[in-house]
Amino acid sequence: MDVTSIIESLNDAQRQAVTAPSQAMLVLAGAGSGKTRVLVHRIAWQIKVEGVPAHGILAVTFTNKAAKEMRGRIQDLLNIPAQALWIGTFHGIAHRLLRRHAKQARLPDTFQVMDSSDQLRVIKRLLNTLNLDDSRWPPREVQWYINAQKDEGIRARHMIETADAHQRQMLTIYRAYEELCDRSGLVDFTELLLRAHELLRDNPDLLDFYQQRFRQVHVDEFQDTNTIQYAWLRLLTGGRDNLFVVGDDDQSIYGWRGAKIENIYRFQKNYPNHQVIKLEQNYRSTGTILKAANKVIARNEGRMGKELWTDSGEGELILLYAAFNEQDEAYFVVERIRAWVKEGGLRSEAAILYRSNAQSRQFEEKLMATATPYRVYGGLRFFDRAEIKNALAYLRLISNRNDDASFERIVNTPTRGIGIKILDDIRNIARDQSISLWAAAIVLINQRSMTARSRNALIGFLELIKQLDKQAEGLELYEKVKLVVEKSRLVELYQKEKMDKGEEKIENLEELVNAARLFDFDRENEESLGELDMFLTHAALESGNNQADDYEDCVQLMTLHSAKGLEFKLVFLVGMEEGLFPSQQSVDDVGRLEEERRLCYVGMTRAMQQLYLTYAESRRLYGRETYPRPSRFVREIPGEFIQEVRMRATVSRPVAAVQPKVTSLQPAGSYKPGQRVSHAKFGEGVVLQMEGAGAQERAQINFKQAGVKWLMLSYAKLEML
DNA sequence: TTGTTCCAGCTTTTT
DNA sequence: GCTGGAACAA
């Protein structure tokens, strides 16, 4: 067996991790140090050299994207189909176990996975039936509470009745929620993890089987695991030393959703024979960027300790720009990107990273104004869209009449005369008799207590579902979806909506049919589940990539969180202001502040060639003008790594700790205030003031039509009149 | 049943 | 200051 292909491209530390004998291993992989590569090569090594059979490998990630990438790379490296390997997300693998052993997990065979918005709906409805005022019991808070308990492995029955009224009420809600989910055969995301844990814990035979089967367990992004995920890993490895985890304590940015960075310390205690290997050589960024990032992260306490280095040179200084306001900030960034493109760079190599989604708007406007293609990440994903969820709810109800969440969603969508009153009656019957809404509806019909009109409407709905179920029999999956889309009259509903919005929804429904057509049933299905149920699960578990067209060359806009794991030649960290980044909600708490700092570290280390930091000296926030101070993180970068870009002769506040090198600027004189000019796009205007020099020189111009704008002279192609 | 108005809230996100 | 959701009126 030729192993050179597996180890030849690795550096010493990577090779050490890949070729180590089977043992518990913690690989501390810094940003850009080849983390995925180590994981992939390690698995290849175990199969090719250690003789571990492919089905003895388990690899767990957090996102579908990461799982897919890993599978693909192992396939490429070993030149074999990697189907036998269990590679997946924590949720995906938990789901697989539950499907295989639904009975032992005390779940109905047809259980359905609901996503967080489904869960929220269920909770809202539950609060209603419990007659709880949802301003006192905000559904989001309740959802958070329930998930937090489950994340810690705590069931309602484990909890002790307390004297605290609030606690007691929460517990009641939690208990009712569990009952409702059980009755409807619904499983939320955290439930997948918790139940998979209980499944193994309570069934020694099963546990033993899987412990034997999985000879090697691998975990990616280990710093992001929560309590229940780690407990599950411990069960599965059963005290043996076969757990190989890769992570970076400095990139732990999900503490707020339950990730326990402490799991790294627990790992070291629970697996005393473990080995730690640090990957510190970085293959992504310039020396300057790495040194600056190292200095920032060094301020955090209690790190495992790691310092990134590179042998590929110092590169450019980090550029810092103090904008007047958020408009100017956006203007600056967009102009720099245009300059980058003009010099032959790709737009897709440039990324604008911000702390919060709301910041994207300014940049979008400026990009749009300059007709620069861009793509905003985040926001609604395909399977999250209302129209898609409606269509899926029809399919769900066809598959499982007890799915109350789906029943409620579509019973009057599109409107068919089943109002709140009838729905309330149905709910009451369902609650009193502990039956599903579907069954309750039948009871209500038989009671003959409604008006004929309402009764007929309700009968009509039940008949529709039954009919669809019958007609769908024997059809291909995509034909079933098509049938539902057509017969549900959802298309007619959206046709009536305001032109473009409704049209888009109809297109999405068509796309859903297409997605069903392309759905790779054989690849996904191992649990002998019906094709439709498999597709529905797929929709919940994999909410769909939100970038539709990958092909156009676009500027990338995203939050710092979603940038993790990505790299760009040109990176703008914008909104570097106290209160924004670090976020106001985090500044009073050391732990949270440190997480913000790690976020800053993540952001900086995304940049390969050139990193820009920008902040605004005044910013409109919640409708008020604010004058934020530059972010402390900017000051934590030693001045020697920073060059300040100035467009004005005077700067109200110097920022960097050490006086940075400043690009010189002479107020230039090609145009003078009062000069009348003409612009290809904005038309005629008058120069108000000038600033900067050379390539930075720009003019503030009052256009007759377009209003007051700052224009960079090197791009604007102004004409004197 | 639909359109309007009012009001709270306002980090980060995957599954 | 804007947005989305819920309460209300027609």
Side-chain angles (χ1 to χ4, degrees):
Chain A
M1 159 74 229
D2 180 26
V3 297
T4 48
S5 68
I6 299 180
I7 53 173
E8 68 184 350
S9 57
L10 304 175
N11 67 33
D12 284 349
Q14 289 172 339
R15 185 174 301 134
Q16 209 190 333
V18 166
T19 62
S22 175
Q23 64 180 314
M25 172 102 69
L26 169 58
V27 179
L28 283 177
S33 66
K35 163 179 78 88
T36 312
R37 153 168 289 217
V38 163
L39 217 36
V40 164
H41 286 243
R42 171 70 175 176
I43 291 170
W45 175 267
Q46 284 172 335
I47 292 174
K48 281 289 170 189
V49 182
E50 304 279 338
V52 177
H55 69 263
I57 298 282
L58 174 66
V60 202
T61 63
F62 276 86
T63 65
N64 290 305
K65 195 175 152 208
K68 211 168 146 194
E69 192 193 336
M70 199 184 299
R71 188 182 292 278
R73 280 172 71 169
I74 290 173
Q75 226 153 269
D76 290 349
L77 187 60
L78 290 179
N79 224 347
I80 52 154
Q83 270 158 351
L85 285 80
W86 276 43
I87 301 177
T89 61
F90 275 100
H91 294 84
I93 285 168
H95 171 256
R96 202 164 176 180
L97 288 173
L98 295 179
R99 284 286 178 214
R100 286 195 160 191
H101 311 288
K103 206 167 184 176
Q104 278 140 303
R106 284 169 289 110
L107 282 172
D109 286 334
T110 56
F111 78 85
Q112 278 296 327
V113 180
M114 56 177 172
D115 66 26
S116 356
S117 57
D118 296 334
Q119 186 189 27
L120 191 64
R121 280 178 77 95
V122 167
I123 289 170
K124 276 183 189 165
R125 194 183 86 217
L126 181 65
L127 292 171
N128 260 325
T129 53
L130 292 175
N131 277 325
L132 291 170
D133 174 10
D134 55 6
S135 61
R136 266 202 66 200
W137 305 96
R140 306 207 134 267
E141 234 169 78
V142 173
Q143 182 182 32
W144 188 87
Y145 174 89
I146 290 173
N147 288 339
Q149 301 309 315
K150 291 195 189 184
D151 275 341
E152 294 296 315
I154 303 166
R155 291 275 183 205
R157 64 171 178 278
H158 298 140
M159 300 178 67
I160 306 152
E161 295 277 349
T162 54
D164 181 68
H166 187 265
Q167 278 290 324
R168 235 183 13 242
Q169 187 61 264
M170 278 295 196
L171 182 53
T172 311
I173 299 171
Y174 184 14
R175 197 176 289 130
Y177 173 77
E178 280 187 324
E179 276 165 23
L180 179 63
C181 289
D182 281 344
R183 197 169 65 228
S184 322
L186 294 174
V187 171
D188 64 47
F189 285 136
T190 9
E191 183 72 28
L192 285 171
L193 302 175
L194 177 54
R195 200 153 305 219
H197 177 256
E198 290 170 346
L199 173 71
L200 294 183
R201 188 196 59 195
D202 301 338
N203 294 281
D205 295 354
L206 267 187
L207 178 59
D208 190 54
F209 172 81
Y210 282 107
Q211 283 180 347
Q212 300 289 332
R213 169 170 183 161
F214 295 126
R215 301 229 331 242
Q216 296 293 332
V217 180
H218 308 80
V219 186
D220 189 19
E221 305 278 15
F222 184 67
Q223 78 284 348
D224 290 338
T225 52
N226 65 24
T227 302
I228 195 72
Q229 286 159 342
Y230 182 63
W232 182 78
L233 289 170
R234 285 209 68 202
L235 261 183
L236 211 50
T237 52
R240 293 171 301 159
D241 279 335
N242 58 347
L243 185 57
F244 186 98
V245 305
V246 180
D248 182 358
D249 56 330
D250 292 332
Q251 291 188 73
S252 161
I253 54 176
Y254 287 112
W256 53 273
R257 66 175 195 211
K260 291 278 191 305
I261 198 171
E262 302 91 300
N263 284 346
I264 290 185
Y265 315 128
R266 284 208 235 156
F267 173 90
Q268 295 180 285
K269 234 170 67 193
N270 297 144
Y271 298 85
N273 299 320
H274 73 277
Q275 190 185 349
V276 178
I277 291 177
K278 291 181 189 177
L279 305 182
E280 295 174 296
Q281 183 173 1
N282 174 292
Y283 297 95
R284 178 187 294 155
S285 310
T286 65
T288 301
I289 291 168
L290 292 179
K291 283 177 193 163
N294 281 335
K295 282 288 182 192
V296 171
I297 199 66
R299 305 243 174 179
N300 276 3
E301 301 280 335
R303 299 170 57 222
M304 303 286 295
K306 212 168 7 63
E307 201 158 309
L308 294 177
W309 59 275
T310 180
D311 57 13
S312 67
E314 295 307 299
E316 304 289 321
L317 288 176
I318 295 169
L319 296 174
L320 175 68
Y321 178 63
F324 315 106
N325 55 31
E326 70 274 19
Q327 308 262 333
D328 179 50
E329 182 186 44
Y331 178 87
F332 172 80
V333 169
V334 171
E335 284 312 318
R336 288 291 163 130
I337 291 174
R338 283 159 60 84
W340 164 267
V341 172
K342 214 173 176 184
E343 278 163 34
L346 288 172
R347 283 184 287 268
S348 58
E349 292 166 337
I352 305 173
L353 308 182
Y354 34 79
R355 178 66 236 270
S356 74
N357 284 309
Q359 288 168 260
S360 74
R361 247 187 60 190
Q362 299 295 339
F363 296 96
E364 287 186 67
E365 277 169 18
K366 289 284 187 287
L367 286 163
M368 223 167 331
T370 54
T372 311
Y374 66 92
R375 176 177 302 139
V376 186
Y377 286 74
L380 266 194
R381 271 178 299 266
F382 183 70
F383 288 112
D384 284 340
R385 296 169 185 277
E387 61 275 19
I388 299 301
K389 299 212 108 182
N390 286 338
L392 289 176
Y394 276 93
L395 290 165
R396 287 216 155 96
L397 206 56
I398 287 169
S399 165
N400 171 15
R401 301 289 140 84
N402 293 331
D403 187 335
D404 285 359
S406 296
F407 183 97
E408 187 137 343
R409 183 171 192 108
I410 55 168
V411 66
N412 203 30
T413 311
T415 49
R416 49 173 69 86
I418 302 171
I420 303 169
K421 169 97 179 38
I422 300 172
L423 196 54
D424 263 345
D425 290 346
I426 298 174
R427 281 189 197 133
N428 286 334
I429 296 172
R431 192 191 49 202
D432 293 344
Q433 307 188 18
S434 283
I435 52 176
S436 66
L437 293 176
W438 178 273
I442 294 170
V443 171
L444 187 65
I445 289 168
N446 291 334
Q447 277 180 357
R448 302 182 163 272
S449 56
M450 294 175 279
T451 61
R453 200 173 143 171
S454 307
R455 188 161 175 268
N456 286 334
L458 191 53
I459 290 173
F461 173 66
L462 299 189
E463 281 304 318
L464 174 65
I465 299 297
K466 281 191 216 159
Q467 220 182 72
L468 285 172
D469 192 1
K470 209 165 158 193
Q471 289 172 0
E473 209 174 315
L475 291 184
E476 292 285 319
L477 174 63
Y478 83 89
E479 290 171 322
K480 289 182 188 173
V481 179
K482 204 171 170 187
L483 178 78
V484 163
V485 168
E486 279 164 8
K487 295 287 166 68
S488 64
R489 295 179 48 227
L490 284 171
V491 174
E492 281 110 300
L493 172 72
Y494 297 130
Q495 266 163 357
K496 276 185 266 170
E497 266 186 39
K498 287 172 204 98
M499 279 335 258
D500 45 338
K501 272 250 171 106
E503 212 161 291
E504 196 188 317
K505 287 178 182 173
I506 293 167
E507 274 167 27
N508 284 331
L509 287 175
E510 279 159 13
E511 188 54 39
L512 181 69
V513 177
N514 204 33
R517 201 193 302 261
L518 296 174
F519 180 61
D520 191 351
F521 176 57
D522 293 330
R523 209 186 67 76
E524 301 246 352
N525 189 45
E526 262 196 40
E527 288 72 37
S528 65
L529 199 66
E531 196 174 17
L532 178 57
D533 287 315
M534 210 58 223
F535 181 64
L536 292 172
T537 298
H538 170 85
L541 230 44
E542 204 162 332
S543 39
N545 41 353
N546 38 2
Q547 70 249 55
D549 40 357
D550 256 334
Y551 304 101
E552 205 183 356
D553 179 32
C554 289
V555 176
Q556 313 284 304
L557 277 74
M558 67 190 85
T559 63
L560 287 158
H561 281 88
S562 27
K564 194 171 118 176
L566 305 177
E567 59 182 27
F568 308 93
K569 287 189 178 162
L570 178 62
V571 167
F572 297 85
L573 287 191
V574 302
M576 297 294 294
E577 294 146 36
E578 285 293 307
L580 206 60
F581 186 36
S583 153
Q584 192 55 49
Q585 284 104 308
S586 300
V587 290
D588 298 325
D589 181 299
V590 185
R592 297 176 66 175
L593 186 65
E594 291 203 339
E595 185 154 311
E596 298 272 328
R597 189 174 283 114
R598 291 193 291 270
L599 197 53
C600 180
Y601 173 78
V602 167
M604 293 175 75
T605 52
R606 296 313 95 195
M608 302 163 82
Q609 290 179 8
Q610 180 69 71
L611 175 62
Y612 277 91
L613 307 174
T614 68
Y615 65 92
E617 290 178 335
S618 106
R619 177 181 298 272
R620 260 193 122 73
L621 214 59
Y622 306 138
R624 282 225 320 272
E625 206 70 40
T626 60
Y627 303 91
R629 285 176 300 123
S631 169
R632 68 191 71 193
F633 302 144
V634 174
R635 268 170 289 136
E636 289 170 5
I637 301 171
E640 56 183 301
F641 301 127
I642 295 185
Q643 180 170 15
E644 220 171 319
V645 184
R646 299 259 181 94
M647 291 197 172
R648 286 160 294 162
T650 52
V651 163
S652 24
R653 265 177 307 224
V655 215
V658 180
Q659 195 55 38
K661 297 164 198 165
V662 172
T663 29
S664 84
L665 29 100
Q666 314 293 330
S670 43
Y671 293 85
K672 291 205 165 49
Q675 173 71 48
R676 287 179 54 237
V677 292
S678 158
H679 182 269
K681 191 151 168 234
F682 301 131
E684 227 176 279
V686 178
V687 174
L688 297 177
Q689 56 174 314
M690 301 295 302
E691 65 184 21
Q696 309 296 344
E697 187 182 11
R698 51 185 210 154
Q700 188 184 37
I701 299 160
N702 185 10
F703 289 104
K704 273 183 187 157
Q705 267 96 44
V708 179
K709 292 195 184 304
W710 279 100
L711 295 183
M712 190 101 69
L713 293 186
S714 42
Y715 300 109
K717 295 207 187 82
L718 288 176
E719 215 181 305
M720 284 202 206
L721 295 176

